[in-house]
Amino acid sequence: MASRRPVTAAPYRCTECGWTTLKWVGRCGECQQWGTVVEAAEQTGITRSVTPVAPGAAGAARRITEIDTQDAPRRTSGVGEFDRVLGGGVVPGAAILLSGEPGVGKSTLLLEVAAQSARAGRRVLYASGEESAAQVRLRAERTGALHDELFLASETDLATILGHIDEVQPELLIVDSVQTVSSGLSDGAAGQPSQVREVASTLIRVAKERGLPVIIVGHVTKDGSIAGPRILEHLVDVVCHFEGDRQTSLRFVRALKNRFGPTDEVGCFDMTGSGIAEVSDPSALFLGHGDPEPGTCVTIAMEGRRALPVEVQALAVKQTAPNPRRIVNGVDASRVAMVLAVLESRVGVSLADKDVYVSTVGGVRLVEPAADLAIAIAVANAVKGRVVSKRLAAIGELTLTGEIRNVTHAPQRASEAARLGYHTVLDSSSKKLARALNELQARGLPREAEQPGF
């Protein structure tokens, strides 16, 4: 009888899920991640028992009511809009992950945060793995971010960065970026999941042990998600996303995760040639200028907890082609199509022989249903050649029956409209779209009206 072949340990395993294989492959057969299969240094197994270890006096468990939080007050970063997103400031020992598209301005923002913190008397260490110290110095000169308490280090080795921390003794550490730093304790090149996990874990451990806040820059993939292992987002305390349109100078910082504050705050910035500037009141950025024209209407949109007025513009052009065009910019195309159908079916606005163009001002994107009423008013006024007062705002969601429904944060929207000088607000109190348009007709002045009434 032939003897059974001995079972040998698999020499390769996945660093993400632990899947093992007898030969190297580029893609894990279990979690489908690329580049995570490495040679196993030693055979792994399940530990059957763990010997308990008595905690020390400093690490003993205490009642939650006995824990003092006065030792960890929030520190302002010097950039008010960034502090708004963080929940009021930087918490000592916090690990903050900032992600964003390439070229959106992450390094410029963090260099401004570093400079403002240095001006407040806190020593800052900026570790750049993507640029040399001279390149960072040139950008700092252009943006006015020079200060003696701001230390620069162009380094991609984790051990050397830890040595800089011991030497400089900073009160704020910025690492740009985690995908460029590597550790000798982990296999693989910089940016691979095992390296990103090792670097992030070490930086976070240093942050917790020393009460040192750490801001880490993270790359994003083609679909906009944070590159690297998903555990990176679980390890850090705060995950922020820096976003903006390359065609405009407006930038937003949003908190996707925040253990120390809300996640619905939004910071607004303006990217200029001399650096990045805070926009504490961005209302004027989303409004048109000049005299009112047919086909415009203002709505109050919510960006996190902030209410912003946004002007919606529409243009209706006669055409003879069998299929009229519907071109939108900054709004949801499917919602615009629904609004046009409601206008034609419930109100009687003829759109079958017209090309309709709908856009927002300032590059802002409206995705919430609260803009339905403003879109309907703008399109109807574009068809009829009517203008509305510059002191009128429309807030409401439309149903397929032509009913105007209430929206979330209605009191905050109304108060913001009143603060900005919009004395008249059309909302769900009008009940029906036809009634709202009739009320609007009574207030407005006709310009080249095609047909009387709506």
Side-chain angles (χ1 to χ4, degrees), residues 64-89:
I64 191 171
T65 55
E66 299 176 355
I67 298 177
D68 186 15
T69 60
Q70 300 299 322
D71 296 336
R74 292 183 184 270
R75 305 171 184 170
T76 176
S77 65
V79 180
E81 291 296 296
F82 192 55
D83 288 340
R84 175 201 294 269
V85 178
L86 297 179

Side-chain angles (χ1 to χ4, degrees), residues 25 59 95 198 229 274 408:
V25 291
E198 176 66 26
S274 58
T408 59

Side-chain angles (χ1 to χ4, degrees), residues 75-79 90 111-124 147 149 171-172 174 215:
R75 305 171 184 170
T76 176
S77 65
V79 180
V90 180
L111 188 59
E112 180 66 20
V113 170
Q116 294 294 344
S117 298
R119 293 188 184 105
R122 289 186 290 272
R123 183 168 294 184
V124 182
H147 198 276
E149 289 299 311
E171 297 180 64
L172 174 64
I174 298 176
I215 303 178

Side-chain angles (χ1 to χ4, degrees), residues 32-328:
Q32 303 300 316
Q33 295 291 326
W34 288 95
T36 59
V37 178
V38 297
E39 186 174 1
E42 58 183 6
Q43 184 177 0
T44 60
I46 300 176
T47 304
R48 299 300 178 184
S49 61
V50 178
T51 303
V53 178
R62 294 181 293 167
R63 293 182 176 88
I64 191 171
T65 55
E66 299 176 355
I67 298 177
D68 186 15
T69 60
Q70 300 299 322
D71 296 336
R74 292 183 184 270
R75 305 171 184 170
T76 176
S77 65
V79 180
E81 291 296 296
F82 192 55
D83 288 340
R84 175 201 294 269
V85 178
L86 297 179
V90 180
V91 177
I96 303 169
L97 176 64
L98 178 66
S99 65
E101 295 287 340
V104 75
K106 302 184 297 295
S107 300
T108 304
L109 172 62
L110 292 184
L111 188 59
E112 180 66 20
V113 170
Q116 294 294 344
S117 298
R119 293 188 184 105
R122 289 186 290 272
R123 183 168 294 184
V124 182
L125 174 60
Y126 190 106
S128 176
E130 300 181 352
E131 300 175 283
S132 66
Q135 291 173 326
V136 179
R137 163 66 189 260
L138 288 175
R139 189 170 72 250
E141 288 181 351
R142 177 174 58 87
T143 60
L146 296 177
H147 198 276
D148 290 340
E149 289 299 311
L150 174 56
F151 290 77
L152 297 180
S154 179
E155 188 57 58
T156 59
D157 181 65
L158 178 61
T160 308
I161 292 178
L162 297 179
H164 283 301
I165 296 175
D166 292 336
E167 181 179 350
V168 176
Q169 294 294 320
E171 297 180 64
L172 174 64
L173 172 65
I174 298 176
V175 179
D176 186 10
S177 64
V178 68
Q179 276 83 9
T180 61
V181 181
S182 61
S183 172
L185 300 178
S186 180
D187 297 330
Q192 289 191 351
S194 58
Q195 284 285 359
V196 172
R197 181 169 50 246
E198 176 66 26
V199 171
S201 300
T202 303
L203 292 176
I204 293 171
R205 185 178 67 251
V206 171
K208 303 302 180 184
E209 291 176 352
R210 305 190 181 196
L212 171 66
V214 178
I215 303 178
I216 305 172
V217 176
H219 293 171
V220 296
T221 59
K222 289 187 293 184
D223 59 356
S225 59
I226 300 177
R230 190 72 177 181
I231 194 174
L232 178 61
E233 300 177 51
H234 294 284
L235 288 174
V236 298
D237 301 308
V238 182
V239 179
C240 295
H241 186 67
F242 197 38
E243 62 185 28
D245 189 354
R246 289 181 178 271
Q247 307 302 323
T248 64
S249 61
L250 192 63
R251 300 290 187 268
F252 290 107
V253 176
R254 305 177 188 271
L256 306 180
K257 169 189 174 181
N258 194 350
R259 290 174 177 167
F260 312 117
T263 58
D264 53 0
E265 288 288 359
V266 178
C268 188
F269 299 89
D270 186 27
M271 186 66 70
T272 64
S274 58
I276 193 166
E278 299 179 62
V279 182
S280 57
D281 190 4
S283 302
L285 298 176
F286 310 120
L287 298 177
H289 303 284
D291 297 331
E293 296 289 338
T296 63
C297 187
V298 174
T299 187
I300 307 297
M302 295 298 299
E303 284 288 343
R305 292 185 176 183
R306 174 179 284 169
L308 301 175
V310 179
E311 182 174 313
V312 179
Q313 297 182 345
L315 182 64
V317 182
K318 274 192 173 183
Q319 55 85 37
T320 57
N323 297 320
R325 292 184 294 178
R326 307 294 188 243
I327 309 298
V328 301

